[in-house]
Amino acid sequence: MIKTAAVVGAGVSGMQAALSLADRGVKVFLIENTSSIGGIMARLDKTMPTLDCSICILSPFMLAVARNPMIEIMTLCDVVGAIKTEHGYNLEVLKRPRYVDLEKCTGCRDCMAKCPGKVIMPFEENFGRIKAIRFDFDQAIPAVPYIDKDACLYFSKGICGNCVKFCQKGAIDFEQQEETLNLEVGGVFLATGSRPYLPFDKTEYGYGRYKNVITAMELERLLSASGPTSGHVIRLNDKKEPKKIAFINCVGSRDLRTNRGYCSKVCCMYGIKEALLVKDHDPEARVTIFYIDIRASGKGYEEFYQRAKNSIRFIRGRPGELLELDNGDLLLRYEDTESQQPMEEVFDMVVLNSALVPSEGSEQLAKMFGIPLNEYGFFDAGGDPASPISTDNDKVFIIGACQGPNDITDCVSQSIGAVAKTYSIYGDVVERESKELPGTDKENPRVGVFVCHCGKNIGKYVNMDEIVEYAKTLPDVVYVEDSLFTCSESGQKSIKEKIQELDLNRVVVAACSPKTHENTFQEALVEAGLNPYMLEMANIRNQCTWVHSDCENESTEKSKDLIRMAVSKARLLDPLFEREVDVRQSCVVIGGGVSGMASAVELSRSGFEVSLIEREDHLGGKSYVTDPKYREIAKHLIDSVTSDENIRLYLSSQIVHVDGFVGNFDLTLDTPNGEVNANAGTFIIATGYDFADPSVDGYVIGGPVIAEEELVRMMDEERLAGKDFTFILCAGVRNKAHPECSRVCCISALRQIKRIQDTVPDANITVLYQDIRAYGYYEDIYRQVSENGARFIRYSPDSLPSIDANSKSVGVYDTTSSRTLKIGFDLCILERGAIPSRGTNELRQLFKASAAPTGFFAEAHLKLAPLDTAIDGVFIAGACQYPKTVEESLSQAISSAGRAGIIMGSGKYKVQPTTASIDEAKCVACGLCEKLCPYKALKMSEDGKHMEVIEVSCKGCGTCAAFCPSNAISMKGFTYQQEKEKIKALLRGVAK
Amino acid sequence: MSFEPRIVAFLCNWCSYGAADMAGTSRIQYPPNVRVIRFMCSGRIDPNFVLEAFLRGADGVMMTGCHIGDCHYIDGNYKTANRYEFLKHYLDILGIGADRLQLEWCSAAEGLKFAQSVTAFTERIRALGPNPLKEGGK
Ligand code: FES
């Protein structure tokens, strides 16, 4: 067994897989072909539907990858060869030169300032900002630029060499050569993602020829505060702000002409997102989106779309062509499908929401690892819904958007699931090695101050001698040193030596940002036997010399202040320790549908004890009522669950009480045999959904009007009669009571239609719909059933179809032909939407977990922690989060089991040390903190006299401390005293 | 001597500290009057810290955090926003003046915005003159 893995592609899927593998104790080579980890998400401005700043949420994630000792980041690398071995693979990796030494470079960017630059990228060229030595984006990791050989004057003409001259660390190395590396790995995870298609071949839109036609990804760069225009949307030809902007959806997708029949899944939503951002930047801009269907299929997406309708014009229709006018404006010709009129309109700028297509190199990788490609060139997982990430090759997994366009949420959850599936390769999760941190003598502070010149980045802008002399006068400072680069090896060595030589017990480093370098210096402390929390940094570079470059006196004074502040806090620092709590090796799964069963089976397979709780007297959930295919899966799962000794089954049972925290939950069950007490290390909630009541939309089930499950039953029992079938979609949802889209009903309806078409050849099928949300490859079924004659009629939510069961007809206003139609039927099938299952609220309150506005369970973070709740150790799987297809539910169930398995397998849960703590003497037990804490980390003590901190649950935000009326809460690492001292030091000598 | 305001800025570790760092990597210049104190979340900004700063002679105080919805601890910044309103009242009552306190949301990509808000705030405080609690203050 080789406990190593190669993860190919360091986008969000690859990074998540790497982190999960590292958590299992597997050494990971994270192989990325660009210069930085981060993938597409790092290049986005905002994420939808929450409009979170993309890089804000991704940066901490990227840092976690970079800091993880089990992960080796290999940028500018490609896998060029693979030989299968007994234990896995031998990979040949080609490493291209960066021409900048990763060890030496400090990321100061002096070289970039001096690089004469040369523009090469077709898009950013218009802003003249591309340098030959550069970062792909500001927050790149590694934070070391690379040299683009094609753009560099040294390589093309043998001149310039400015970067070499100006680099103070001698980090530029033109001599670097390509290298071939060999890696021996147990498993390979392909996470090569997809890439935005550049629509040059859609000549009717003039991309590449017309200056003011750009792709959505390019607009994203314009919108980004760190993009080439610092967040200003301007036209490329005259740099004016566009006032009238059109977005065209589905450019290069749902389009057989370009051989891309699939739907790209995410473009509708990113189009809406960007449209809203444009409005946000310039409220006067008028924005129009041209669409075929708006596929708002994801949590919160429909509500997002509805909100957008207030300020954005939506026109249904695919524009036929664009013409560029003399002043750069664009004449757009289209047919409005609602009015069926040919129309023309002039826009200042046109944005193409282009498809996502397979990443370059997919074909080679597919060949290398023997993975089939589907007809569109994406990796094909083989379509077994029970194993969405495995391939026939049991050492290779394919995750994320390399299987087809996908959004961040699903990519993340899939990556975790893939890792959960690796028991056969890597065996059990290993117990995490816990490094014991050294303690430190708290008395008699002896502070050492290390001031960094950062080459000239600090040194040049301040009077360093003055700073050093000043630092020596500060209380308890016993040693001050300045060095060219404190972070360099010699710099760190000196810190270590001085700690030992002079018995320092506090260290202040005055240099750059703790966000990038705290870890480095903490390690130096540990190596010298000091507790890592005895470090305080003064950021005199990013927040002083770099931003006050032309006022040496002021910068010097400010640096002195910052150092004084740091020393004042350092004197009061306490050693902190990372505690660990033991974790019980058992999981309670709530809900016996396919999600819950799949989680249970997966956990049991990994050796954990599982209790599966179902409130009905049978297993299977809703899978019984939908598709025969799913019933098979359910049956199979029921067999596995009932024959599994590791799984204890509680039917007709419910949880009535939960207490405790991750690793150590206690619970009480109400079972037919009375109350049962149990305990658990983790929970998985998989309580699914209920059908919406169609009567709120005026539809009444009865006679020839049936729900989908009745149709399925009829087909199963071969008693389907008649040939006129009318489907009504969105029954009971997308209305005031339930504004959300249920996402899966369109797809389910399309499947039933296909089944009818297969069995009743002369069937007349009519579908009344609002939007057909056949995202991803489901578009293929949509196309098939339409080609087979199913008729699609679009109704407006303002005038719902009216069913007359007696005359077996339905009246509907067709928004496409603008006529009211009367359609006769033998059977009218209602596609009921999904709503939170009954009891969701009570369950939520038991766990103190939060709900989304729609009433479904809320995840800790929609994009990056889709399986977690805000409560550690409590995970969600399946449709209790929002409606999902069975395939999606299964995939998530496996992933959640993986998350729970990692915590339980390692046997320990690490508690981060900067938690709150309570001074019991001061606490008046008012309970305010308990109400404020989003993580439920505070509770009343048993005797009711004071509050207690559940350290395992505390994340250290400090909100409770800020609010505590009796000042009884202290934040470790940011105590009241420490911070007050800092404020005092800052303002020393000011108030007279 | 002309009046150089002393400004204390409380930043959350994630977005706003990231923005301040980015202002640095992008070399965006702003007046050197501000000194930063970092917390994990803007929710940690105890009103006592703000008052302490004013009582000790700060001429202005900035509270910054992630944009609403972006807080890394779910909703710490909502609480900060409420506290800000309350503190402004309080500062008026104390005679320090609500305009000496400023709340700003900055994402980690908004280095420019951070620099601009610091600049604007510094100018505002310069115009307001010294903290009235100080000698020489109005
Ligand atoms: S973490 Fe930035 S405001 Fe809470």
Side-chain angles (χ1 to χ4, degrees), chain B residues 12 14-15 40-42 65-66 71-73 77:
Chain B
C12 82
W14 303 102
C15 297
M40 290 316 279
C41 174
S42 71
C66 313
C71 171
H72 287 238
Y73 304 95
N77 50 5

Side-chain angles (χ1 to χ4, degrees), chain A residues 492-535:
Chain A
Q492 294 191 55
K493 202 166 131 229
S494 169
I495 295 181
K496 280 180 252 172
E497 282 168 7
K498 292 302 169 203
I499 290 175
Q500 283 161 344
E501 209 173 285
L502 300 169
D503 219 6
L504 303 177
N505 54 16
R506 309 282 194 284
V507 173
V508 167
V509 176
C512 51
S513 171
K515 285 190 70 128
T516 51
H517 280 74
E518 195 168 53
N519 226 279
T520 314
F521 295 120
Q522 280 186 329
E523 271 164 33
L525 263 63
V526 173
E527 280 170 37
L530 218 57
N531 184 275
Y533 294 92
M534 304 309 263
L535 169 79

